[in-house]
Amino acid sequence: MSSAVAAVLRRLADTYVDSVLLLAATRAMQEVEGVTWATAVMATPANLEALEDQGVTGPELSGAAANDLVLAVRAGDAAAADRALDGGTSAVRGQRSGAGEPGPVPAARDLALAARELPGANIAIVSVPGAYAALEAHKALSAGLDVLLFSDNVPVDEEVELKRRAAEVGHLVMGPGAGTAVLGGCGLGFANRVRPGRVGVVAAAGTGAQEVMSLLDQWGEGISQVIGVGGRDLSSAVGGAMATLAVQALDADPATEVILLVSKPPAPDVARRVASAAVATPLVAGMVGWPAGTALAGAAAVRSTLEGAALSTLEVLGQPPPRPDSALAASVRRAIEHLPPSRTLVRGLYSGGTLCYEALSLLEPALGPVWSNTPLDPRYRVPAPADAHVCLDLGEEEYTQGRPHPMIDPEARLDELEALRTAGDVAAVVLDVVLGYGAHPDPAAVLAPVCAELTGPGGPCVVVYVLGTEGDPQGLARQRAALVEAGCIVAPTGARAALAAAAIATRDPMLVEQTVP
């Protein structure tokens, strides 16, 4: 952090807040005139180390604990810094600056008290540091509640024990790391606004759930429920405990006519067990990255992409497929015509882990090895050689320590995009832009100006997939239009975005028109 002005700090002891409030506090401080830099983080060891790496130190950090909130500001003068810290504090506590406004309602200090104050509650959302998450989830089960376990970094043995107990008492534990659910029409975590309908989704993949629900909404179908079960649920260790329970619940739901199971590659025996749990309701399996043509007993269809899974769901329902997007192919052909021959590489900068994984599975057959922080093959883990294709999941912990998730704050990708200005060998940059509740209110406004500069004469192409619906707060059409205006190629699905990038890099426009697995 290049600034001669020392940071001013404020520590709020025992004030745990989630990433959405951290971003709100950061924005509130950044908006104060005179502020040059600001951040709000929990005082975990990793975040304190990240602050120190940026030259942010002070006595306020002495003895800080993981449940303490730290606000840090650099400003032109002390008065601006104080105003910013006050604004950040108010954002966290839900206070308003107007005179006579009511203060925040005191929060319940533990789960048991919250359950007593809300006797009609039937679900608890647990978002605490991973070391404490399983204990809080057990408390929720004891209170007779289902659990959305937003926390990550929960040891797998604790997850196994938690889900074993949940299955015994007939309650769901959605997670750990379950960022998306839609239950009874209410979105939890990162969720999109979708019409009610006949498809029930069980997902061990957060952005995977978001893409299939959004595509089905765009294509005229609706959602009964979305149950996120956590990325490890279909592993051999966890055994599909919650996915099985979720499939059984949807199988008994009269509003659900098709079950769509979404996951990155599962343990095959676990996938078979989960699929066979649907007795009366057809089940479509969207196993992202599975070899095309893989069969799964109990499934009406098995697809290896999110687009393919959504299309098969429409087919089972007797709905016509959407019309092919001829505009995308035309845009790719024009891009190839104007691309300098020296540009041959692909760079993917993803905020959604499932979308990144799907892109890797589609790019590698066309390009050869693609390096990543979440590679398909461990041999191709970054750092990559200079002449390699690279696809990064910027939502992984190594990129989010001390800063919000890129779905919440698009600025997390700006540094990566800026670095590509001098990369004369990059042909296509691929971005996902995730809309919906919990996401940034206007991501295109942040990303479009940088993309416009990057796609100037002789520059690389920027291919963008905007995940969302027209009902989302950000507005799907408005976001797409802003990115098209910035010179981006906007693809209709995540799979088409990856194929468009491969087509541009290889100068083979037919790639973008192929049938997805």
Side-chain angles (χ1 to χ4, degrees):
M1 191 63 57
S2 58
S3 173
V5 180
V8 179
L9 302 173
R10 179 177 295 176
R11 175 175 144 206
L12 303 179
D14 195 23
T15 308
Y16 182 84
V17 299
D18 62 24
S19 54
V20 175
L21 276 180
L22 290 175
L23 179 59
T26 299
R27 286 182 185 148
M29 293 186 290
Q30 290 174 338
E31 289 171 358
V32 173
E33 186 176 355
V35 170
T36 58
W37 173 83
T39 190
V41 296
M42 300 310 301
T44 62
N47 285 342
L48 292 177
E49 184 178 346
L51 288 174
E52 186 176 353
D53 289 344
Q54 297 178 50
V56 178
T57 59
E60 296 87 351
L61 301 181
S62 177
N67 274 345
D68 295 350
L69 173 64
V70 176
L71 306 176
V73 175
R74 285 195 178 98
D77 57 66
D82 286 342
R83 289 195 302 273
L85 292 174
D86 289 343
T89 303
S90 295
V92 166
R93 292 178 173 168
Q95 295 171 334
R96 299 177 180 178
S97 58
E101 292 284 357
V105 176
R109 297 295 296 171
D110 60 47
L111 192 144
L113 179 57
R116 286 196 298 270
E117 292 181 354
L118 292 170
N122 57 11
I123 186 168
I125 300 175
V126 176
S127 180
V128 298
Y132 314 104
L135 175 60
E136 293 304 315
H138 275 293
K139 291 178 183 178
L141 291 176
S142 296
L145 302 172
D146 293 317
V147 180
L148 180 75
L149 186 51
F150 195 82
S151 307
D152 54 13
N153 295 317
V154 176
V156 68
D157 59 329
E158 294 184 10
E159 178 179 352
V160 170
E161 171 58 24
L162 184 61
K163 290 183 172 179
R164 180 198 63 77
R165 183 185 173 209
E168 288 177 353
V169 299
H171 282 294
L172 284 168
V173 171
M174 297 170 276
T180 297
V182 179
L183 303 173
C186 178
L188 303 175
F190 296 103
N192 300 89
R193 185 174 181 180
V194 293
R195 71 188 76 196
R198 300 178 287 172
V199 182
V201 178
V202 178
T207 45
Q210 287 189 264
E211 175 159 13
V212 296
M213 76 167 91
S214 296
L215 291 181
L216 289 169
D217 180 271
Q218 292 173 35
W219 296 341
E221 193 46 67
I223 299 297
S224 59
Q225 318 285 343
V226 176
I227 304 173
V229 294
R232 296 186 302 213
D233 196 80
L234 273 73
S235 67
S236 295
V238 182
M242 290 298 103
T244 300
L245 195 61
V247 167
Q248 291 171 340
L250 292 175
D251 193 36
D253 175 22
T256 299
E257 298 183 21
V258 178
I259 298 169
L260 176 50
L261 176 65
V262 177
S263 177
K264 296 176 187 176
D269 59 328
V270 175
R272 286 192 292 271
R273 189 182 316 131
V274 173
S276 65
V279 177
T281 310
L283 180 144
V284 173
M287 305 284 99
V288 177
W290 252 20
T294 302
L296 180 62
V302 182
R303 303 295 292 268
S304 301
T305 63
L306 299 166
E307 175 187 333
L311 288 170
S312 284
T313 302
L314 292 181
E315 184 178 359
V316 171
L317 289 168
Q319 291 282 77
R323 294 180 179 179
D325 184 1
S326 58
L328 177 62
S331 296
V332 167
R333 287 189 171 88
R334 287 194 298 270
I336 291 172
E337 291 174 0
H338 296 94
L339 194 67
S342 60
R343 293 190 174 274
T344 58
L345 301 180
V346 170
R347 290 288 184 271
L349 302 175
Y350 282 86
S351 63
T354 310
L355 301 180
C356 181
Y357 194 92
E358 180 183 67
L360 288 166
S361 72
L362 292 168
L363 289 170
E364 288 206 342
L367 303 176
V370 180
W371 294 66
S372 178
N373 59 328
T374 56
L376 302 183
D377 185 328
R379 293 177 297 172
Y380 304 119
R381 182 172 293 277
V382 292
D387 59 348
H389 304 287
V390 178
C391 201
L392 299 176
D393 175 6
L394 299 179
E396 284 289 295
E397 288 182 19
E398 62 264 35
Y399 293 103
T400 57
Q401 288 185 1
R403 66 192 309 174
H405 191 282
M407 282 168 54
I408 299 170
D409 185 4
E411 292 189 7
R413 284 190 278 190
L414 295 187
D415 290 344
E416 299 288 340
L417 286 169
E418 291 281 357
L420 293 176
R421 290 191 186 188
T422 58
D425 52 359
V426 173
V429 181
V430 196
L431 303 174
D432 61 336
V433 176
V434 181
L435 311 182
Y437 299 106
H440 189 278
D442 191 3
V446 178
L447 294 170
V450 180
C451 291
E453 295 179 6
L454 197 60
T455 58
C461 304
V462 177
V463 182
V464 182
Y465 168 51
V466 184
L467 187 166
T469 72
E470 202 51 52
D472 284 332
Q474 302 87 348
L476 177 62
R478 183 168 64 87
Q479 296 292 309
R480 283 175 168 171
L483 291 161
V484 169
E485 181 67 22
C488 301
I489 297 172
V490 177
T493 71
R496 295 296 159 185
L499 292 173
I504 291 166
T506 60
R507 277 51 171 193
D508 181 3
M510 295 303 296
L511 280 175
V512 78
E513 299 184 73
Q514 72 181 42
T515 301
V516 298

